[in-house]
Amino acid sequence: HVWIKSSLQKQKILNKNNMNKLIRFILVTVLAIIAGTFYVSAQELNKQGYAPLTKGLSLTYANYDDDGEFSGSYIMKVVSANLVITETEKVGKIVFDQHFFDEDDEPVLSGDNNLQMIVTVGPDGHFSKMKEFRKLMKVKEAVSKGDASSIPDDIQVGTIIPDGVMNVSAGNMDAKILTSDRKVVREERISTPAGEFDTFVVAENQVTKAVVSIEYRLETWYAKGIGAVKQVVYDKKGRLK
């Protein structure tokens, strides 16, 4: 298992007494970080891209508020990764198991505490689906379409990354995630509970449009063959969230 410390938004997102915040966390944060990271290329098929594509890879993200207090964790495991690339098409499917724990390290979901997500990549774009979303809401599934956070496999300091958009839907709940001003700002070797990683740091603006619009400034540390190993989120005034 790879253990990774990630600083995310200030909120008790995995508290069992606050399910609405958990739902928002899954719809917005998880889908934005994971479902949008599949910049499909031949290099990624050799596990050298900035996305988790290795079968059996398990990543644990620990969440902290702006006071450094632990507020929960999220474990993602790559169940399968099947991608095919030719000169004319890029298609494939990646299956993730997802497990959520609160600040007391107790499972959040009933049963096996697993909310499996299936990501497909094809000519029409990227799609993700969570069929067991009924564990959280009285809807059949949560679906996202689009690409909000792909990272090319040939980045270097100064690389400008294209803007992105992702639409998320769960029953009558809809959200749109927009990313802009995306740039690789530095190269950095960082130490985490999982060990040390050579990373590129990507800075970007992210706007989530749902009932209200929320704007953040993000810095994310990406390691080859893994994807995001750390993320820090600021509000539009530059305050840590």
Side-chain angles (χ1 to χ4, degrees):
H1 288 270
V2 179
W3 290 84
I4 295 171
K5 177 184 287 189
S6 175
S7 176
L8 297 178
Q9 293 143 306
K10 180 184 179 182
Q11 52 187 340
K12 295 288 185 177
I13 52 177
L14 296 179
N15 188 317
K16 285 181 282 189
N17 295 322
N18 200 334
M19 192 61 68
N20 286 336
K21 287 184 178 180
L22 172 63
I23 292 170
R24 183 183 180 279
F25 169 77
I26 293 172
L27 281 176
V28 177
T29 306
V30 175
L31 291 176
I33 293 176
I34 298 176
T37 59
F38 296 96
Y39 189 97
V40 181
S41 69
Q43 202 170 17
E44 278 193 354
L45 291 180
N46 293 325
K47 318 304 181 191
Q48 294 302 308
Y50 295 91
L53 297 177
T54 302
K55 180 180 178 180
L57 177 67
S58 182
L59 305 174
T60 297
Y61 290 89
N63 304 301
Y64 297 84
D65 62 23
D66 58 1
D67 294 320
E69 296 294 326
F70 177 74
S71 59
S73 62
Y74 158 72
I75 299 175
M76 179 197 71
K77 182 176 181 180
V78 183
V79 178
S80 63
N82 300 294
L83 297 171
V84 177
I85 294 179
T86 68
E87 293 183 357
T88 58
E89 66 177 356
K90 303 174 182 180
V91 296
K93 181 171 74 173
I94 306 95
V95 180
F96 297 99
D97 282 346
Q98 302 179 112
H99 302 272
F100 300 88
F101 299 87
D102 64 16
E103 65 272 25
D104 297 316
D105 206 28
E106 294 293 327
V108 171
L109 305 178
S110 60
D112 60 1
N113 190 38
N114 184 20
L115 192 63
Q116 192 172 83
M117 179 166 65
I118 300 172
V119 178
T120 57
V121 180
D124 296 327
H126 302 167
F127 298 85
S128 69
K129 182 180 295 185
M130 291 186 287
K131 293 183 177 180
E132 295 299 317
F133 208 73
R134 63 175 62 90
K135 294 178 180 178
L136 294 174
M137 298 173 61
K138 292 181 179 180
V139 297
K140 183 178 180 180
E141 60 191 17
V143 178
S144 73
K145 178 181 179 181
D147 181 2
S149 55
S150 285
I151 303 297
D153 56 26
D154 58 350
I155 58 174
Q156 56 186 328
V157 175
T159 297
I160 303 296
I161 303 173
D163 296 348
V165 59
M166 177 183 293
N167 294 291
V168 182
S169 177
N172 60 0
M173 180 185 295
D174 295 304
K176 177 176 287 189
I177 301 168
L178 306 169
T179 53
S180 62
D181 298 324
R182 310 182 69 215
K183 184 178 181 179
V184 181
V185 294
R186 64 185 180 276
E187 193 171 1
E188 185 176 338
R189 184 171 180 83
I190 64 170
S191 179
T192 78
E196 294 188 344
F197 296 91
D198 292 316
T199 68
F200 283 104
V201 183
V202 175
E204 62 189 345
N205 292 328
Q206 184 183 98
V207 177
T208 300
K209 295 183 177 181
V211 178
V212 296
S213 292
I214 304 175
E215 181 177 345
Y216 295 111
R217 182 67 176 171
L218 283 69
E219 282 196 333
T220 308
W221 285 250
Y222 288 95
K224 278 200 169 185
I226 296 175
V229 296
K230 178 180 178 181
Q231 185 179 76
V232 178
V233 180
Y234 303 91
D235 65 17
K236 60 183 180 181
K237 293 184 178 180
R239 297 173 298 195
L240 185 65
K241 299 299 290 181

PDB file of all heavy atoms in Angstrom, residues 183-218:
ATOM      1  N   LYS A 183      -0.685  25.577 -15.055  1.00  0.00           N
ATOM      2  CA  LYS A 183       0.726  25.687 -15.412  1.00  0.00           C
ATOM      3  C   LYS A 183       1.584  24.871 -14.460  1.00  0.00           C
ATOM      4  O   LYS A 183       1.309  24.808 -13.258  1.00  0.00           O
ATOM      5  CB  LYS A 183       1.164  27.156 -15.374  1.00  0.00           C
ATOM      6  CG  LYS A 183       2.599  27.389 -15.814  1.00  0.00           C
ATOM      7  CD  LYS A 183       2.940  28.880 -15.798  1.00  0.00           C
ATOM      8  CE  LYS A 183       4.362  29.126 -16.270  1.00  0.00           C
ATOM      9  NZ  LYS A 183       4.707  30.568 -16.280  1.00  0.00           N
ATOM     10  N   VAL A 184       2.620  24.234 -15.006  1.00  0.00           N
ATOM     11  CA  VAL A 184       3.607  23.543 -14.174  1.00  0.00           C
ATOM     12  C   VAL A 184       4.563  24.598 -13.636  1.00  0.00           C
ATOM     13  O   VAL A 184       5.308  25.232 -14.396  1.00  0.00           O
ATOM     14  CB  VAL A 184       4.382  22.483 -14.987  1.00  0.00           C
ATOM     15  CG1 VAL A 184       5.384  21.771 -14.081  1.00  0.00           C
ATOM     16  CG2 VAL A 184       3.426  21.487 -15.615  1.00  0.00           C
ATOM     17  N   VAL A 185       4.530  24.818 -12.320  1.00  0.00           N
ATOM     18  CA  VAL A 185       5.263  25.941 -11.738  1.00  0.00           C
ATOM     19  C   VAL A 185       6.633  25.565 -11.181  1.00  0.00           C
ATOM     20  O   VAL A 185       7.513  26.423 -11.044  1.00  0.00           O
ATOM     21  CB  VAL A 185       4.427  26.621 -10.634  1.00  0.00           C
ATOM     22  CG1 VAL A 185       3.199  27.280 -11.236  1.00  0.00           C
ATOM     23  CG2 VAL A 185       4.023  25.629  -9.549  1.00  0.00           C
ATOM     24  N   ARG A 186       6.840  24.294 -10.842  1.00  0.00           N
ATOM     25  CA  ARG A 186       8.158  23.896 -10.344  1.00  0.00           C
ATOM     26  C   ARG A 186       8.270  22.375 -10.282  1.00  0.00           C
ATOM     27  O   ARG A 186       7.267  21.654 -10.357  1.00  0.00           O
ATOM     28  CB  ARG A 186       8.428  24.483  -8.951  1.00  0.00           C
ATOM     29  CG  ARG A 186       7.507  23.999  -7.845  1.00  0.00           C
ATOM     30  CD  ARG A 186       7.798  24.733  -6.534  1.00  0.00           C
ATOM     31  NE  ARG A 186       6.937  24.307  -5.449  1.00  0.00           N
ATOM     32  CZ  ARG A 186       5.708  24.793  -5.231  1.00  0.00           C
ATOM     33  NH1 ARG A 186       5.217  25.731  -6.034  1.00  0.00           N
ATOM     34  NH2 ARG A 186       4.985  24.358  -4.213  1.00  0.00           N
ATOM     35  N   GLU A 187       9.489  21.916 -10.137  1.00  0.00           N
ATOM     36  CA  GLU A 187       9.789  20.501  -9.910  1.00  0.00           C
ATOM     37  C   GLU A 187      10.237  20.372  -8.465  1.00  0.00           C
ATOM     38  O   GLU A 187      11.012  21.196  -7.974  1.00  0.00           O
ATOM     39  CB  GLU A 187      10.877  20.048 -10.869  1.00  0.00           C
ATOM     40  CG  GLU A 187      11.067  18.551 -10.951  1.00  0.00           C
ATOM     41  CD  GLU A 187      12.015  18.157 -12.072  1.00  0.00           C
ATOM     42  OE1 GLU A 187      12.529  19.062 -12.760  1.00  0.00           O
ATOM     43  OE2 GLU A 187      12.243  16.947 -12.242  1.00  0.00           O
ATOM     44  N   GLU A 188       9.748  19.354  -7.761  1.00  0.00           N
ATOM     45  CA  GLU A 188      10.033  19.275  -6.327  1.00  0.00           C
ATOM     46  C   GLU A 188      10.050  17.821  -5.857  1.00  0.00           C
ATOM     47  O   GLU A 188       9.201  17.022  -6.253  1.00  0.00           O
ATOM     48  CB  GLU A 188       8.968  20.062  -5.550  1.00  0.00           C
ATOM     49  CG  GLU A 188       9.208  20.163  -4.067  1.00  0.00           C
ATOM     50  CD  GLU A 188       8.175  21.036  -3.363  1.00  0.00           C
ATOM     51  OE1 GLU A 188       7.539  21.878  -4.047  1.00  0.00           O
ATOM     52  OE2 GLU A 188       8.000  20.881  -2.147  1.00  0.00           O
ATOM     53  N   ARG A 189      11.004  17.496  -5.014  1.00  0.00           N
ATOM     54  CA  ARG A 189      11.039  16.189  -4.363  1.00  0.00           C
ATOM     55  C   ARG A 189      10.415  16.352  -2.984  1.00  0.00           C
ATOM     56  O   ARG A 189      10.865  17.175  -2.179  1.00  0.00           O
ATOM     57  CB  ARG A 189      12.469  15.674  -4.243  1.00  0.00           C
ATOM     58  CG  ARG A 189      12.558  14.260  -3.655  1.00  0.00           C
ATOM     59  CD  ARG A 189      13.976  13.711  -3.755  1.00  0.00           C
ATOM     60  NE  ARG A 189      14.076  12.369  -3.193  1.00  0.00           N
ATOM     61  CZ  ARG A 189      13.755  11.248  -3.856  1.00  0.00           C
ATOM     62  NH1 ARG A 189      13.334  11.332  -5.124  1.00  0.00           N
ATOM     63  NH2 ARG A 189      13.879  10.067  -3.294  1.00  0.00           N
ATOM     64  N   ILE A 190       9.363  15.582  -2.708  1.00  0.00           N
ATOM     65  CA  ILE A 190       8.659  15.736  -1.439  1.00  0.00           C
ATOM     66  C   ILE A 190       8.667  14.425  -0.665  1.00  0.00           C
ATOM     67  O   ILE A 190       8.803  13.341  -1.229  1.00  0.00           O
ATOM     68  CB  ILE A 190       7.205  16.208  -1.637  1.00  0.00           C
ATOM     69  CG1 ILE A 190       6.377  15.161  -2.405  1.00  0.00           C
ATOM     70  CG2 ILE A 190       7.167  17.550  -2.345  1.00  0.00           C
ATOM     71  CD1 ILE A 190       4.900  15.485  -2.408  1.00  0.00           C
ATOM     72  N   SER A 191       8.512  14.559   0.647  1.00  0.00           N
ATOM     73  CA  SER A 191       8.461  13.406   1.541  1.00  0.00           C
ATOM     74  C   SER A 191       7.046  13.259   2.077  1.00  0.00           C
ATOM     75  O   SER A 191       6.426  14.235   2.525  1.00  0.00           O
ATOM     76  CB  SER A 191       9.438  13.600   2.701  1.00  0.00           C
ATOM     77  OG  SER A 191       9.388  12.497   3.602  1.00  0.00           O
ATOM     78  N   THR A 192       6.493  12.051   2.010  1.00  0.00           N
ATOM     79  CA  THR A 192       5.159  11.745   2.506  1.00  0.00           C
ATOM     80  C   THR A 192       5.236  10.478   3.348  1.00  0.00           C
ATOM     81  O   THR A 192       6.274   9.801   3.357  1.00  0.00           O
ATOM     82  CB  THR A 192       4.161  11.517   1.349  1.00  0.00           C
ATOM     83  OG1 THR A 192       4.368  10.196   0.818  1.00  0.00           O
ATOM     84  CG2 THR A 192       4.328  12.544   0.250  1.00  0.00           C
ATOM     85  N   PRO A 193       4.159  10.118   4.056  1.00  0.00           N
ATOM     86  CA  PRO A 193       4.160   8.838   4.773  1.00  0.00           C
ATOM     87  C   PRO A 193       4.402   7.636   3.865  1.00  0.00           C
ATOM     88  O   PRO A 193       4.762   6.561   4.332  1.00  0.00           O
ATOM     89  CB  PRO A 193       2.759   8.794   5.396  1.00  0.00           C
ATOM     90  CG  PRO A 193       2.411  10.225   5.597  1.00  0.00           C
ATOM     91  CD  PRO A 193       2.974  10.923   4.394  1.00  0.00           C
ATOM     92  N   ALA A 194       4.191   7.814   2.555  1.00  0.00           N
ATOM     93  CA  ALA A 194       4.428   6.728   1.599  1.00  0.00           C
ATOM     94  C   ALA A 194       5.876   6.660   1.157  1.00  0.00           C
ATOM     95  O   ALA A 194       6.274   5.729   0.465  1.00  0.00           O
ATOM     96  CB  ALA A 194       3.532   6.909   0.376  1.00  0.00           C
ATOM     97  N   GLY A 195       6.648   7.690   1.497  1.00  0.00           N
ATOM     98  CA  GLY A 195       8.027   7.759   1.041  1.00  0.00           C
ATOM     99  C   GLY A 195       8.281   9.060   0.306  1.00  0.00           C
ATOM    100  O   GLY A 195       7.478   9.996   0.365  1.00  0.00           O
ATOM    101  N   GLU A 196       9.391   9.128  -0.403  1.00  0.00           N
ATOM    102  CA  GLU A 196       9.755  10.330  -1.139  1.00  0.00           C
ATOM    103  C   GLU A 196       9.390  10.183  -2.614  1.00  0.00           C
ATOM    104  O   GLU A 196       9.492   9.090  -3.182  1.00  0.00           O
ATOM    105  CB  GLU A 196      11.245  10.618  -0.993  1.00  0.00           C
ATOM    106  CG  GLU A 196      11.642  10.984   0.432  1.00  0.00           C
ATOM    107  CD  GLU A 196      13.076  11.460   0.519  1.00  0.00           C
ATOM    108  OE1 GLU A 196      13.839  11.230  -0.444  1.00  0.00           O
ATOM    109  OE2 GLU A 196      13.427  12.074   1.539  1.00  0.00           O
ATOM    110  N   PHE A 197       8.974  11.302  -3.207  1.00  0.00           N
ATOM    111  CA  PHE A 197       8.551  11.285  -4.606  1.00  0.00           C
ATOM    112  C   PHE A 197       9.145  12.481  -5.339  1.00  0.00           C
ATOM    113  O   PHE A 197       9.182  13.593  -4.806  1.00  0.00           O
ATOM    114  CB  PHE A 197       7.025  11.349  -4.716  1.00  0.00           C
ATOM    115  CG  PHE A 197       6.309  10.171  -4.134  1.00  0.00           C
ATOM    116  CD1 PHE A 197       5.900  10.176  -2.811  1.00  0.00           C
ATOM    117  CD2 PHE A 197       6.054   9.052  -4.912  1.00  0.00           C
ATOM    118  CE1 PHE A 197       5.239   9.088  -2.264  1.00  0.00           C
ATOM    119  CE2 PHE A 197       5.392   7.958  -4.373  1.00  0.00           C
ATOM    120  CZ  PHE A 197       4.994   7.975  -3.054  1.00  0.00           C
ATOM    121  N   ASP A 198       9.587  12.234  -6.564  1.00  0.00           N
ATOM    122  CA  ASP A 198       9.958  13.318  -7.472  1.00  0.00           C
ATOM    123  C   ASP A 198       8.686  13.756  -8.189  1.00  0.00           C
ATOM    124  O   ASP A 198       8.022  12.947  -8.840  1.00  0.00           O
ATOM    125  CB  ASP A 198      11.002  12.842  -8.482  1.00  0.00           C
ATOM    126  CG  ASP A 198      12.335  12.531  -7.821  1.00  0.00           C
ATOM    127  OD1 ASP A 198      12.773  13.325  -6.966  1.00  0.00           O
ATOM    128  OD2 ASP A 198      12.932  11.483  -8.153  1.00  0.00           O
ATOM    129  N   THR A 199       8.353  15.030  -8.079  1.00  0.00           N
ATOM    130  CA  THR A 199       7.065  15.502  -8.582  1.00  0.00           C
ATOM    131  C   THR A 199       7.207  16.780  -9.390  1.00  0.00           C
ATOM    132  O   THR A 199       8.204  17.501  -9.293  1.00  0.00           O
ATOM    133  CB  THR A 199       6.083  15.789  -7.429  1.00  0.00           C
ATOM    134  OG1 THR A 199       6.551  16.922  -6.671  1.00  0.00           O
ATOM    135  CG2 THR A 199       5.948  14.585  -6.516  1.00  0.00           C
ATOM    136  N   PHE A 200       6.171  17.033 -10.188  1.00  0.00           N
ATOM    137  CA  PHE A 200       5.944  18.336 -10.790  1.00  0.00           C
ATOM    138  C   PHE A 200       4.731  18.949 -10.094  1.00  0.00           C
ATOM    139  O   PHE A 200       3.740  18.255  -9.829  1.00  0.00           O
ATOM    140  CB  PHE A 200       5.668  18.219 -12.291  1.00  0.00           C
ATOM    141  CG  PHE A 200       6.886  17.976 -13.121  1.00  0.00           C
ATOM    142  CD1 PHE A 200       7.162  16.718 -13.630  1.00  0.00           C
ATOM    143  CD2 PHE A 200       7.772  19.022 -13.393  1.00  0.00           C
ATOM    144  CE1 PHE A 200       8.294  16.497 -14.398  1.00  0.00           C
ATOM    145  CE2 PHE A 200       8.904  18.810 -14.168  1.00  0.00           C
ATOM    146  CZ  PHE A 200       9.174  17.546 -14.663  1.00  0.00           C
ATOM    147  N   VAL A 201       4.818  20.249  -9.809  1.00  0.00           N
ATOM    148  CA  VAL A 201       3.727  20.946  -9.131  1.00  0.00           C
ATOM    149  C   VAL A 201       2.933  21.739 -10.164  1.00  0.00           C
ATOM    150  O   VAL A 201       3.493  22.562 -10.893  1.00  0.00           O
ATOM    151  CB  VAL A 201       4.260  21.885  -8.033  1.00  0.00           C
ATOM    152  CG1 VAL A 201       3.094  22.551  -7.298  1.00  0.00           C
ATOM    153  CG2 VAL A 201       5.133  21.116  -7.051  1.00  0.00           C
ATOM    154  N   VAL A 202       1.628  21.464 -10.206  1.00  0.00           N
ATOM    155  CA  VAL A 202       0.728  22.150 -11.140  1.00  0.00           C
ATOM    156  C   VAL A 202      -0.164  23.100 -10.355  1.00  0.00           C
ATOM    157  O   VAL A 202      -0.831  22.703  -9.402  1.00  0.00           O
ATOM    158  CB  VAL A 202      -0.137  21.136 -11.915  1.00  0.00           C
ATOM    159  CG1 VAL A 202      -1.154  21.870 -12.800  1.00  0.00           C
ATOM    160  CG2 VAL A 202       0.738  20.212 -12.760  1.00  0.00           C
ATOM    161  N   ALA A 203      -0.157  24.366 -10.751  1.00  0.00           N
ATOM    162  CA  ALA A 203      -1.045  25.371 -10.158  1.00  0.00           C
ATOM    163  C   ALA A 203      -2.188  25.639 -11.128  1.00  0.00           C
ATOM    164  O   ALA A 203      -1.986  25.675 -12.348  1.00  0.00           O
ATOM    165  CB  ALA A 203      -0.281  26.656  -9.865  1.00  0.00           C
ATOM    166  N   GLU A 204      -3.394  25.814 -10.592  1.00  0.00           N
ATOM    167  CA  GLU A 204      -4.549  26.038 -11.451  1.00  0.00           C
ATOM    168  C   GLU A 204      -5.685  26.663 -10.659  1.00  0.00           C
ATOM    169  O   GLU A 204      -5.721  26.602  -9.426  1.00  0.00           O
ATOM    170  CB  GLU A 204      -5.033  24.720 -12.056  1.00  0.00           C
ATOM    171  CG  GLU A 204      -5.499  23.709 -11.024  1.00  0.00           C
ATOM    172  CD  GLU A 204      -5.777  22.339 -11.617  1.00  0.00           C
ATOM    173  OE1 GLU A 204      -5.892  22.236 -12.842  1.00  0.00           O
ATOM    174  OE2 GLU A 204      -5.866  21.365 -10.846  1.00  0.00           O
ATOM    175  N   ASN A 205      -6.606  27.275 -11.387  1.00  0.00           N
ATOM    176  CA  ASN A 205      -7.849  27.752 -10.795  1.00  0.00           C
ATOM    177  C   ASN A 205      -8.936  26.724 -11.049  1.00  0.00           C
ATOM    178  O   ASN A 205      -8.998  26.118 -12.129  1.00  0.00           O
ATOM    179  CB  ASN A 205      -8.278  29.087 -11.412  1.00  0.00           C
ATOM    180  CG  ASN A 205      -7.342  30.212 -11.039  1.00  0.00           C
ATOM    181  OD1 ASN A 205      -6.766  30.227  -9.950  1.00  0.00           O
ATOM    182  ND2 ASN A 205      -7.174  31.166 -11.938  1.00  0.00           N
ATOM    183  N   GLN A 206      -9.809  26.522 -10.057  1.00  0.00           N
ATOM    184  CA  GLN A 206     -10.921  25.594 -10.223  1.00  0.00           C
ATOM    185  C   GLN A 206     -12.206  26.248  -9.729  1.00  0.00           C
ATOM    186  O   GLN A 206     -12.258  26.782  -8.615  1.00  0.00           O
ATOM    187  CB  GLN A 206     -10.682  24.306  -9.433  1.00  0.00           C
ATOM    188  CG  GLN A 206     -11.762  23.261  -9.649  1.00  0.00           C
ATOM    189  CD  GLN A 206     -11.533  22.022  -8.797  1.00  0.00           C
ATOM    190  OE1 GLN A 206     -12.119  21.873  -7.725  1.00  0.00           O
ATOM    191  NE2 GLN A 206     -10.665  21.137  -9.261  1.00  0.00           N
ATOM    192  N   VAL A 207     -13.223  26.218 -10.572  1.00  0.00           N
ATOM    193  CA  VAL A 207     -14.533  26.755 -10.210  1.00  0.00           C
ATOM    194  C   VAL A 207     -15.540  25.619 -10.266  1.00  0.00           C
ATOM    195  O   VAL A 207     -15.639  24.901 -11.272  1.00  0.00           O
ATOM    196  CB  VAL A 207     -14.968  27.879 -11.171  1.00  0.00           C
ATOM    197  CG1 VAL A 207     -16.372  28.360 -10.814  1.00  0.00           C
ATOM    198  CG2 VAL A 207     -13.978  29.030 -11.114  1.00  0.00           C
ATOM    199  N   THR A 208     -16.274  25.429  -9.187  1.00  0.00           N
ATOM    200  CA  THR A 208     -17.339  24.436  -9.126  1.00  0.00           C
ATOM    201  C   THR A 208     -18.676  25.170  -9.147  1.00  0.00           C
ATOM    202  O   THR A 208     -18.958  25.992  -8.268  1.00  0.00           O
ATOM    203  CB  THR A 208     -17.245  23.581  -7.856  1.00  0.00           C
ATOM    204  OG1 THR A 208     -15.991  22.900  -7.847  1.00  0.00           O
ATOM    205  CG2 THR A 208     -18.373  22.554  -7.809  1.00  0.00           C
ATOM    206  N   LYS A 209     -19.455  24.887 -10.173  1.00  0.00           N
ATOM    207  CA  LYS A 209     -20.757  25.524 -10.318  1.00  0.00           C
ATOM    208  C   LYS A 209     -21.850  24.510 -10.017  1.00  0.00           C
ATOM    209  O   LYS A 209     -22.039  23.551 -10.747  1.00  0.00           O
ATOM    210  CB  LYS A 209     -20.932  26.075 -11.740  1.00  0.00           C
ATOM    211  CG  LYS A 209     -19.967  27.198 -12.086  1.00  0.00           C
ATOM    212  CD  LYS A 209     -20.238  27.757 -13.459  1.00  0.00           C
ATOM    213  CE  LYS A 209     -19.312  28.923 -13.785  1.00  0.00           C
ATOM    214  NZ  LYS A 209     -19.590  29.493 -15.126  1.00  0.00           N
ATOM    215  N   ALA A 210     -22.555  24.729  -8.929  1.00  0.00           N
ATOM    216  CA  ALA A 210     -23.687  23.882  -8.551  1.00  0.00           C
ATOM    217  C   ALA A 210     -24.817  24.821  -8.154  1.00  0.00           C
ATOM    218  O   ALA A 210     -25.198  25.690  -8.932  1.00  0.00           O
ATOM    219  CB  ALA A 210     -23.291  22.931  -7.433  1.00  0.00           C
ATOM    220  N   VAL A 211     -25.343  24.684  -6.939  1.00  0.00           N
ATOM    221  CA  VAL A 211     -26.351  25.638  -6.463  1.00  0.00           C
ATOM    222  C   VAL A 211     -25.725  27.022  -6.369  1.00  0.00           C
ATOM    223  O   VAL A 211     -26.340  28.036  -6.701  1.00  0.00           O
ATOM    224  CB  VAL A 211     -26.908  25.190  -5.098  1.00  0.00           C
ATOM    225  CG1 VAL A 211     -27.916  26.207  -4.590  1.00  0.00           C
ATOM    226  CG2 VAL A 211     -27.552  23.814  -5.215  1.00  0.00           C
ATOM    227  N   VAL A 212     -24.473  27.048  -5.909  1.00  0.00           N
ATOM    228  CA  VAL A 212     -23.694  28.282  -5.898  1.00  0.00           C
ATOM    229  C   VAL A 212     -22.352  27.973  -6.560  1.00  0.00           C
ATOM    230  O   VAL A 212     -21.975  26.819  -6.727  1.00  0.00           O
ATOM    231  CB  VAL A 212     -23.465  28.807  -4.465  1.00  0.00           C
ATOM    232  CG1 VAL A 212     -24.790  29.192  -3.831  1.00  0.00           C
ATOM    233  CG2 VAL A 212     -22.751  27.761  -3.619  1.00  0.00           C
ATOM    234  N   SER A 213     -21.635  29.009  -6.931  1.00  0.00           N
ATOM    235  CA  SER A 213     -20.311  28.837  -7.529  1.00  0.00           C
ATOM    236  C   SER A 213     -19.242  29.044  -6.470  1.00  0.00           C
ATOM    237  O   SER A 213     -19.310  29.987  -5.675  1.00  0.00           O
ATOM    238  CB  SER A 213     -20.107  29.830  -8.674  1.00  0.00           C
ATOM    239  OG  SER A 213     -20.944  29.523  -9.762  1.00  0.00           O
ATOM    240  N   ILE A 214     -18.251  28.152  -6.455  1.00  0.00           N
ATOM    241  CA  ILE A 214     -17.152  28.246  -5.511  1.00  0.00           C
ATOM    242  C   ILE A 214     -15.850  28.211  -6.294  1.00  0.00           C
ATOM    243  O   ILE A 214     -15.661  27.365  -7.160  1.00  0.00           O
ATOM    244  CB  ILE A 214     -17.179  27.086  -4.497  1.00  0.00           C
ATOM    245  CG1 ILE A 214     -18.520  27.046  -3.761  1.00  0.00           C
ATOM    246  CG2 ILE A 214     -16.038  27.224  -3.498  1.00  0.00           C
ATOM    247  CD1 ILE A 214     -18.675  25.866  -2.838  1.00  0.00           C
ATOM    248  N   GLU A 215     -14.958  29.145  -5.983  1.00  0.00           N
ATOM    249  CA  GLU A 215     -13.690  29.242  -6.705  1.00  0.00           C
ATOM    250  C   GLU A 215     -12.524  28.926  -5.784  1.00  0.00           C
ATOM    251  O   GLU A 215     -12.472  29.387  -4.635  1.00  0.00           O
ATOM    252  CB  GLU A 215     -13.526  30.651  -7.280  1.00  0.00           C
ATOM    253  CG  GLU A 215     -12.252  30.839  -8.077  1.00  0.00           C
ATOM    254  CD  GLU A 215     -12.151  32.217  -8.694  1.00  0.00           C
ATOM    255  OE1 GLU A 215     -13.189  32.914  -8.745  1.00  0.00           O
ATOM    256  OE2 GLU A 215     -11.035  32.600  -9.120  1.00  0.00           O
ATOM    257  N   TYR A 216     -11.592  28.118  -6.267  1.00  0.00           N
ATOM    258  CA  TYR A 216     -10.406  27.761  -5.511  1.00  0.00           C
ATOM    259  C   TYR A 216      -9.158  27.942  -6.368  1.00  0.00           C
ATOM    260  O   TYR A 216      -9.221  27.914  -7.596  1.00  0.00           O
ATOM    261  CB  TYR A 216     -10.455  26.297  -5.048  1.00  0.00           C
ATOM    262  CG  TYR A 216     -11.556  25.978  -4.070  1.00  0.00           C
ATOM    263  CD1 TYR A 216     -12.633  25.174  -4.446  1.00  0.00           C
ATOM    264  CD2 TYR A 216     -11.515  26.461  -2.767  1.00  0.00           C
ATOM    265  CE1 TYR A 216     -13.636  24.872  -3.548  1.00  0.00           C
ATOM    266  CE2 TYR A 216     -12.518  26.160  -1.863  1.00  0.00           C
ATOM    267  CZ  TYR A 216     -13.576  25.368  -2.261  1.00  0.00           C
ATOM    268  OH  TYR A 216     -14.572  25.069  -1.376  1.00  0.00           O
ATOM    269  N   ARG A 217      -8.032  28.083  -5.696  1.00  0.00           N
ATOM    270  CA  ARG A 217      -6.728  28.010  -6.338  1.00  0.00           C
ATOM    271  C   ARG A 217      -6.047  26.757  -5.800  1.00  0.00           C
ATOM    272  O   ARG A 217      -5.944  26.583  -4.580  1.00  0.00           O
ATOM    273  CB  ARG A 217      -5.893  29.249  -6.020  1.00  0.00           C
ATOM    274  CG  ARG A 217      -4.515  29.279  -6.694  1.00  0.00           C
ATOM    275  CD  ARG A 217      -4.628  29.410  -8.191  1.00  0.00           C
ATOM    276  NE  ARG A 217      -3.296  29.528  -8.832  1.00  0.00           N
ATOM    277  CZ  ARG A 217      -3.113  29.474 -10.139  1.00  0.00           C
ATOM    278  NH1 ARG A 217      -4.142  29.294 -10.962  1.00  0.00           N
ATOM    279  NH2 ARG A 217      -1.895  29.597 -10.658  1.00  0.00           N
ATOM    280  N   LEU A 218      -5.625  25.862  -6.678  1.00  0.00           N
ATOM    281  CA  LEU A 218      -5.062  24.579  -6.280  1.00  0.00           C
ATOM    282  C   LEU A 218      -3.593  24.479  -6.655  1.00  0.00           C
ATOM    283  O   LEU A 218      -3.170  24.980  -7.693  1.00  0.00           O
ATOM    284  CB  LEU A 218      -5.803  23.419  -6.952  1.00  0.00           C
ATOM    285  CG  LEU A 218      -7.167  22.988  -6.424  1.00  0.00           C
ATOM    286  CD1 LEU A 218      -8.225  24.039  -6.695  1.00  0.00           C
ATOM    287  CD2 LEU A 218      -7.572  21.676  -7.073  1.00  0.00           C
TER     288      LEU A 218
END
